Amino acid sequence: MDLKTNHTHRLADAATITRTRSRLGTPSSLSCSPTGATTFLHGPSLAIPRKKTGILDDVRSNGCLDAMRSSSPTNKKISMDIGHGVAFFDVDAAYLTWQLEFPSALASFEQITNFAKGKKIVLFLDYDGTLSPIVDNPDHAFMSESMRATVKSMAKYFPTAIISGRCREKVHEFVGVTDLYYAGSHGMDIIGPPRQSDKHPTCIRSTYNKGNEVNLYQPAAEFLPMIDEVLSLLIECTKDIKGAKVENNKFCVSVHYRNVDEENWDMVAQIVYDILKDYPHLRLTHGRKVLEVRPVIDWDKGKAVTYLLESLGLNEDNDVLAIYIGDDQTDEDAFKVLSEFNKGFGILVSSAPKESNAIYSLCDPSEVMEFLKSLVVWKSISLV
Ligand SMILES: O=P(O)(O)OC[C@H]1O[C@H](O[C@H]2O[C@H](CO)[C@@H](O)[C@H](O)[C@H]2O)[C@H](O)[C@@H](O)[C@@H]1O
């Protein structure tokens, strides 16, 4: 794809910032220099974007706000009068009904292992909301030591890959286990096993931890300058919205609104929409209280799973059982690929009913850990 002919690169374009801000009713006292530095012409006190009724039309009419509201649902506790008072239950009736369609992978463990007998199991694990609980500050989404130990023992028995929306280096740092494959930026930055014959031209053979040979695959490499530009614009244009946080995920950008007052979510969305109007090669997807800006290339977590299976020499193997565990909308692409190509199945981590391409469910990261531990025990016993 020739990006240059269709898009004029601009570094933190002042016009875009000014246009976005004025559309949102940001005071005219705020302007931005071409380098992205903000200048307060009349003092910084007016720097918070204000809403103007009737202006934020796009995000209200295109369903974006609805998607933002419905992202990251949590289970509501239900109360029941049991005679001596009120008892609270962690699961509600709707969740139990939903589990008829998406049975618990723990409750179905025997069924799963019966099916897995004699098969080569490969594990794909999402990070946020799967291995670590969702927390308000993305920089503090740490994994517990017991989860780390569990993932480490998983890797002794099964090829295991972490596939995250975060930048690869960051998720590697969070997980801190070396004997795994890592795919960051929603699968657009993969460190995988060395491949014998490679159809992908942008693969680079390199050495990694312990001097092992690996393959680095970055299918969106040419988008890097564009992503950097948009990152600067997003940081600049959202900086006055209390609670908004822009995260650099290398080949994508996350715009978090979890800590923004709900009445200002439309402003966050409109800023992202307005900026993306100038970038037809970038698109927007929704995550858990986060808007994800990413290249339009035909690549996602599902493609990353296929790529890794190919790299492991297992894509044509009928005895493979790939298990993908994830909680997010972006994990659905991987669930779908596994079902469509009959390579395995997805397990959705959710404490609330949700539509999904997964087959099984788990409630939260603690259940994920229990499931992984059970797999390790089952495998170690079967080897004796
Ligand atoms: O593919 P994942 O590993 O699930 O990454 C998806 C995004 O996860 C992170 O954001 C989410 O988790 C945060 C920490 O719990 C939470 O504060 C945020 O609201 C969630 O959206 C991460 O920060 C993003 O960069 C990832 O894209």
Side-chain angles (χ1 to χ4, degrees), residues 126 128 134-135 164-165 247 249 254 256 258 288 292 301:
D126 167 58
D128 288 279
I134 293 293
V135 292
S164 174
E247 190 181 359
N249 285 330
S254 292
H256 294 275
R258 181 172 292 279
R288 299 184 66 169
E292 311 259 26
K301 287 183 170 185

Side-chain angles (χ1 to χ4, degrees), residues 269-290:
Q270 196 66 58
I271 285 173
V272 179
Y273 265 76
D274 280 352
I275 289 173
L276 287 193
K277 276 179 188 156
D278 290 339
Y279 292 86
H281 292 300
L282 300 180
R283 68 183 170 112
L284 188 64
T285 56
H286 290 264
R288 299 184 66 169
K289 303 277 184 271
V290 68

Side-chain angles (χ1 to χ4, degrees), residues 105-124:
L106 284 171
S108 314
F109 193 73
E110 202 180 327
Q111 186 189 50
I112 292 173
T113 47
N114 280 340
F115 186 67
K117 263 182 206 141
K119 295 201 161 66
K120 293 168 198 150
I121 297 181
V122 186
L123 253 293
F124 294 98

Side-chain angles (χ1 to χ4, degrees), residues 149-177:
T150 306
V151 172
K152 215 170 174 170
S153 49
M154 283 294 307
K156 281 191 194 138
Y157 291 101
F158 313 106
T160 304
I162 308 291
I163 307 207
S164 174
R166 288 182 185 260
C167 92
R168 179 172 48 76
E169 288 85 355
K170 183 75 176 267
V171 76
H172 191 162
E173 189 189 314
F174 271 166
V175 176
V177 178

Side-chain angles (χ1 to χ4, degrees), residues 36 41 67 82 90 144 181 189 221 223-224 250 292 331 337 368:
L41 299 178
I82 53 165
D90 277 339
S144 67
Y181 303 114
D189 189 4
F223 286 84
L224 216 44
K250 193 162 181 172
E292 311 259 26
D331 299 312
V337 157
V368 172

